[in-house]
Amino acid sequence: MFCMKKTLSGIKIECVQGDIASQPGIDAVVNAANAQLRIGGGVAGAIHRAAGPGLEQECRPLSPIRPGEAVITGAHNLPNTYVIHCLGPVYGQDRPESLLLANCYRNALKLAEENEIRSVAFPAISTGAFGYPIEDAANVALKTITEILPYLKNVAIIRFVLFGKSDLEVFRDTLESL
Ligand code: ADP
């Protein structure tokens, strides 16, 4: 499997190509959720299908969430301990997009820290159905995370899981340039 790794502020950042619903060995996977925290297409579909119906049940009282917000649940049948659900901005609709997207990463890592989570895997939030251009999204994701790294006490591994090879290349190049 192609993989790029870089250690910044003592924290390992990885970019891999793969399926966010198949990340054993990672404590928390992040869901590119919809506001209702229901099963959907893309990441939300893959996560809910693999987790089973118990995940939607646990999500029901936590919904709806707003763009930039994050909530945490158990992982049910996924090979992880937690799922952190983030609602990304719809590109061209929820503004300012870059702030709302950055808030997803900030709030997800805040929840990870509060729950003493060591490893987190993110998909490229908002870059599918929500239409955020991948280069801009990679910039926001990696710059936001880099700003937070010095403050992290529990999180030691942050992995980006990209579905497509070209998306992986964009994240890899962005990470290399940091
Ligand atoms: P959003 O609604 O936030 O745009 P999507 O789930 O539609 O979220 O897509 C977000 C990104 O995740 C897209 O780049 C898409 O190609 C990718 N993706 C889709 N399915 C998976 C999966 N199973 N694992 C990892 N990434 C995925």
Side-chain angles (χ1 to χ4, degrees):
M1 179 181 64
F2 181 86
C3 178
M4 145 122 198
K5 290 182 188 170
K6 188 164 178 175
T7 301
L8 294 169
S9 304
I11 292 162
K12 202 187 281 177
I13 318 284
E14 307 175 346
C15 295
V16 305
Q17 190 178 355
D19 178 358
I20 192 74
S22 181
Q23 299 297 319
I26 290 284
D27 297 335
V29 289
V30 174
N31 182 14
N34 47 65
Q36 300 304 325
L37 305 177
R38 306 284 296 270
I39 191 167
V43 168
I47 283 187
H48 278 279
R49 271 195 306 277
L55 181 60
E56 251 192 12
Q57 250 171 46
E58 189 184 351
C59 281
R60 206 160 294 143
L62 304 174
S63 72
I65 61 169
R66 290 189 305 269
E69 283 188 343
V71 294
I72 189 165
T73 65
H76 300 263
N77 297 332
L78 283 160
N80 314 98
T81 308
Y82 299 100
V83 178
I84 298 173
H85 308 258
C86 293
L87 178 61
V90 176
Y91 194 74
Q93 186 178 310
D94 299 317
R95 294 199 168 92
E97 287 104 350
S98 59
L99 180 87
L100 295 171
L101 186 59
N103 283 347
C104 287
Y105 291 96
R106 285 193 197 106
N107 288 325
L109 287 172
K110 186 162 177 269
L111 285 174
E113 282 288 303
E114 285 167 6
N115 288 276
E116 299 181 358
I117 287 167
R118 216 180 150 268
S119 51
V120 188
F122 286 95
I125 298 168
S126 282
T127 65
F130 287 0
Y132 213 115
I134 190 79
E135 287 84 3
D136 296 345
N139 248 306
V140 172
L142 286 161
K143 283 210 176 114
T144 303
I145 277 172
T146 309
E147 283 166 17
I148 299 170
L149 292 179
Y151 305 102
L152 298 177
K153 292 188 170 58
N154 296 309
V155 175
I157 299 171
I158 299 174
R159 178 181 293 172
F160 287 92
V161 181
L162 292 316
F163 213 36
K165 188 162 176 282
S166 60
D167 291 350
L168 171 68
E169 284 166 0
V170 171
F171 268 71
R172 183 196 61 193
D173 292 350
T174 310
L175 178 57
E176 259 170 3
S177 73
L178 288 178

